Amino acid sequence: MEKLIINGGNKLYGEVDISGAKNAAVAIIPAAIMASDKKCIIDNIPDIEDVHCLERILKSLGCNVIKEKNTIEIDSTNLTNTNACTEDVRRMRASYYFIGALLGRFGKARVDLPGGCPIGVRPIDQHIKGFEALGADVVIEHGAVIIKADKLVGTKIFFDVVSVGATINVMLAATLAEGVTVLENVAKEPHVVDVANFLNSMGANVKGAGTDVIKIFGVKKLKGCNYSVIPDQIEAGTYMIATSACGGEVTIKNIIPKHLESMSAKLMETGVKIIPNGDSIKVISSGNLKGVNVKTLPYPGFPTDIQQPMTALLCVAKGRSIVNESIWENRFKHVDELKKMGAAVKVEGKTAIVDGVQKLTGAVVKATDLRAGAAMVIAALMAFGTSEVEGIEHIDRGYPHIEDKFKMLGADIKRVKK
Ligand code: EPZ
């Protein structure tokens, strides 16, 4: 077990490189097993535990996998195993993409139900609705999804809720279905578009990703390709918020400014200066911020995955801020931890009412999930005194080398064994 020790109070200065997007990479890696010809070589893969977990799942299925720095080579040409039932599959959320990928390629799969961050009930009914509409039979037995189809046939599917996972999963299976599939009320997140682009590089014919309707013209087979994952908009947002909260001047490199617009707009409302420049963005902050109201929404709205870091920032912003979490019903576990540092926050259902305090003070706090972990790090970086952040295995699932990146910006942060 490890923890982070952080002496707060330093302003942040310098440059930080953003890694490949976690939520794109964790879908693209399972999608690569759909290539029955040639291997996939995927670049800009983030060095995070969720990716390591996927590597182990690929190997347990029988794929040849070579990982070097930020590149992963996946050769699944000889793959025949359609059972993904391991501890790793049960541990992470994105393992559910093996259902769509295996169903598309082999017409069957047995995949253990996924795990992931405890941020609320996380049903997969919309994934199943989509697979069934394509002609698959689905049962859930002994904690696994068992799915099979004589053949998959394209159809029109209207999702009841906007779901990133269901959009991507059904899109995977539909690339190898007969005829045309039309997905309506889909998620428009940049990672949905990235997965569609990856599938098209493999020979699929997916159109409309990034809009409300995705049209998939089924093809007979997919082949390996070379691809590079988009930058992580949530990692970028985390460093933007940290700089805003601590004060300082940081250039955030290797990003797509368009993907950060909702976060930039909100930070500017707090009084921060944001200057986009090509594939980087500069954040300049005095550290004196004013409170704002935030409501999380599907893209292009303010991302739920940055709500927790933003709540940490608002703890020291002048006046009252109202944070409304509209995607997950239990994504305020970080609030109790923030209170240990002197924050004045009250949670009522899916709303947090934050009254800005002069300063936070260092404390022993816990990362209860991935983004709660990022919130704790940001709170500790701006707090007066020393904090210990425990539960950092959650942070390691999604943030590559967080302590090294913050150290480069002048933070006093170190990782120690517990
Ligand atoms: C993805 O989760 C991300 N995870 C989450 O990121 C992110 O918070 C979420 O999308 C929303 O942007 C990955 O990409 C691996 P959803 P996902 O399906 O796909 C309801 C992070 O911190 N719903 O878009 O599981 C659901 O309950 C993580 O990086 C159904 O009702 O989320 C939720 O209220 C955490 N039925 C809403 O839709 C379904 O079948 C959105 O969920 C599916 C979802």
Side-chain angles (χ1 to χ4, degrees):
M1 284 295 205
E2 293 177 326
K3 63 183 175 183
L4 293 173
I5 309 278
I6 299 172
N7 290 308
N10 292 4
K11 290 194 172 197
L12 302 179
Y13 291 96
E15 297 181 345
V16 60
D17 267 315
I18 296 307
S19 304
K22 167 179 101 70
N23 287 344
V26 298
I28 285 173
I29 292 170
I33 67 158
M34 296 174 80
S36 49
D37 185 16
K38 293 194 188 141
K39 61 186 173 196
C40 289
I41 303 175
I42 309 159
D43 197 17
N44 207 28
I45 294 285
D47 188 15
I48 51 175
E49 180 51 28
D50 268 9
V51 164
H52 304 157
C53 201
L54 284 170
E55 275 175 70
R56 294 191 294 269
I57 298 172
L58 289 175
K59 286 179 184 160
S60 73
L61 277 169
C63 301
N64 285 323
V65 184
I66 302 172
K67 175 99 187 307
E68 244 176 64
K69 290 196 177 141
N70 296 328
T71 305
I72 190 167
E73 275 188 31
I74 302 168
D75 185 345
S76 53
T77 46
N78 296 322
L79 182 66
T80 53
N81 183 3
T82 57
N83 275 350
C85 298
T86 64
E87 174 77 38
D88 286 317
V89 174
R90 292 187 290 277
R91 264 181 61 195
M92 70 178 303
R93 193 73 196 155
S95 58
Y96 55 28
Y97 292 130
F98 284 103
I99 309 173
L102 290 167
L103 176 68
R105 178 161 171 198
F106 299 104
K108 61 175 183 169
R110 184 192 179 100
V111 180
D112 275 345
L113 284 164
C117 282
I119 51 181
V121 183
R122 301 186 75 178
I124 58 163
D125 58 299
Q126 296 303 304
H127 305 230
I128 292 172
K129 167 178 158 164
F131 297 139
E132 285 177 337
L134 292 173
D137 288 322
V138 186
V139 287
I140 297 185
E141 256 177 33
H142 306 297
V145 177
I146 301 160
I147 191 161
K148 51 179 180 299
D150 291 336
K151 67 172 178 178
L152 297 174
V153 181
T155 185
K156 189 168 170 171
I157 300 160
F158 194 102
F159 290 110
D160 302 338
V161 293
V162 176
S163 158
V164 170
T167 302
I168 293 178
N169 224 347
V170 179
M171 180 167 77
L172 298 185
T175 55
L176 290 167
E178 215 175 272
V180 185
T181 303
V182 181
L183 305 181
E184 297 203 47
N185 196 28
V186 294
K188 294 180 280 201
E189 268 67 5
H191 30 290
V192 174
V193 180
D194 206 34
V195 179
N197 288 339
F198 173 68
L199 291 167
N200 287 341
S201 303
M202 287 206 292
N205 189 353
V206 180
K207 295 200 158 54
T211 73
D212 291 313
V213 182
I214 298 179
K215 233 180 189 178
I216 303 146
F217 300 84
V219 296
K220 289 251 176 312
K221 65 180 213 170
L222 297 178
K223 58 181 184 337
C225 66
N226 286 44
Y227 197 76
S228 184
V229 173
I230 52 164
D232 196 315
Q233 105 232 43
I234 304 301
E235 192 198 14
T238 303
Y239 287 95
M240 287 166 75
I241 290 172
T243 309
S244 306
C246 295
E249 189 171 323
V250 171
T251 302
I252 293 161
K253 292 167 65 185
N254 179 33
I255 49 105
I256 300 174
K258 176 92 196 138
H259 296 168
L260 309 177
E261 274 176 354
S262 61
M263 298 181 265
S264 299
K266 218 16 103 179
L267 287 173
M268 287 197 290
E269 248 180 84
T270 68
V272 173
K273 240 194 215 159
I274 308 261
I275 308 164
N277 179 16
D279 65 355
S280 69
I281 205 166
K282 189 185 271 191
V283 180
I284 305 171
S285 169
S286 63
N288 294 322
L289 309 173
K290 59 172 186 289
V292 293
N293 296 337
V294 176
K295 182 178 171 114
T296 66
L297 286 169
Y299 188 83
F302 192 89
T304 170
D305 295 344
I306 211 75
Q307 176 266 110
Q308 293 154 297
M310 189 69 187
T311 305
L313 172 146
L314 293 174
C315 288
V316 294
K318 202 163 173 211
R320 174 168 282 193
S321 303
I322 310 282
V323 180
N324 182 254
E325 170 57 61
S326 80
I327 312 287
W328 300 111
E329 75 268 21
N330 198 7
R331 215 171 194 181
F332 282 126
K333 285 194 186 149
H334 57 303
V335 165
D336 283 340
E337 301 301 304
L338 289 171
K339 282 187 189 164
K340 291 180 188 165
M341 303 174 86
V345 189
K346 201 164 117 201
V347 176
E348 282 177 7
K350 288 168 105 179
T351 301
I353 302 149
V354 187
D355 285 313
V357 294
Q358 284 283 322
K359 61 172 178 7
L360 296 180
T361 51
V364 178
V365 290
K366 197 183 276 160
T368 50
D369 58 74
L370 169 60
R371 309 299 173 188
M376 288 311 119
V377 170
I378 290 170
L381 287 172
M382 60 178 168
F384 179 77
T386 304
S387 296
E388 294 184 14
V389 182
E390 299 177 336
I392 61 171
E393 60 282 2
H394 289 292
I395 300 178
D396 293 336
R397 284 190 31 227
Y399 286 95
H401 312 291
I402 194 164
E403 73 278 18
D404 296 337
K405 291 193 183 191
F406 273 122
K407 223 181 274 168
M408 291 282 287
L409 298 177
D412 184 346
I413 175 170
K414 67 176 181 225
R415 180 182 290 256
V416 296
K417 295 245 180 285
K418 262 179 92 177

